[in-house]
Amino acid sequence: MMSSNEIKKSALNHFASSGYDGTSLSVIASDVGIKKQSIYAHFANKDELFLKIMEEVLIQETSYIKSFFSKNNTLALEKKLFQFLQQYSKRYESQAETRFLLRMGFLPPTHLHQQVIDSLYNYYDELEEILIEIFTNHKDSIITPVSEAVIAYIGLCDSVLVELLYSGNDRFQRRLNACWKVYWQGIRSKEE
């Protein structure tokens, strides 16, 4: 019997590479060796399958972020924030979850737009809380108020991730390096 996890894994890969509209349940079914109708034993429709994957990817991404900053706790703020952004290009190349999140975050299915955006805002709120704690622990390293530094960092993340999604790693690196220098010079304490 086909498990819902196998269906979700196939669907994740297809959504990440072809988008919502470019992915059919027939292709997913063929990929896992079942008939399209068998998917309905696990998911009511394509929307339910998509939203379930979105939910799981956001949970996984939040877990990754917490783990990344925990493992890199002893690094200086500048290094850990820059490395976090650098990791995205590697994760984008190697993980369907990261490709899915970026693609669906910036190009959500039109009819699911509000549900996707609501989920993303919850994710961004959680990311902001994580970052506020990190920046607060390093507040001597910056001259900008913590909340402003965090919001600007999230804006920087969005900017470079759009470049990664649309233009690839070379342009992502170019934008990241230029934006990072200006961002860090703008928030860092002069004693740093």
Side-chain angles (χ1 to χ4, degrees), residues 144-157:
T144 308
V146 166
S147 61
E148 290 178 19
V150 167
I151 291 168
Y153 181 73
I154 292 172
L156 172 63
C157 291

Side-chain angles (χ1 to χ4, degrees), residues 35-102:
K35 294 182 190 246
K36 177 180 165 184
Q37 294 78 3
S38 300
I39 292 176
Y40 298 117
H42 302 277
F43 303 97
N45 52 40
K46 183 174 158 183
D47 290 355
E48 182 183 317
L49 174 59
F50 174 87
L51 291 170
K52 184 64 179 168
I53 291 168
M54 181 93 188
E55 174 190 326
E56 290 177 3
V57 164
L58 289 172
I59 290 168
Q60 181 180 331
E61 183 65 15
T62 302
S63 176
Y64 166 79
I65 292 167
K66 289 176 179 176
S67 173
F68 175 88
F69 285 115
S70 176
K71 287 178 187 170
N72 293 287
N73 188 42
T74 59
L75 290 178
L77 181 62
E78 177 184 12
K79 288 195 183 323
K80 76 175 84 178
L81 294 176
F82 186 76
Q83 283 183 13
F84 177 72
L85 288 169
Q86 277 286 11
Q87 286 298 315
Y88 259 99
S89 66
K90 294 177 182 129
R91 294 177 68 228
Y92 184 80
E93 289 175 19
S94 66
Q95 295 186 9
E97 291 84 357
T98 303
R99 289 190 302 278
F100 173 89
L101 181 59
L102 291 184

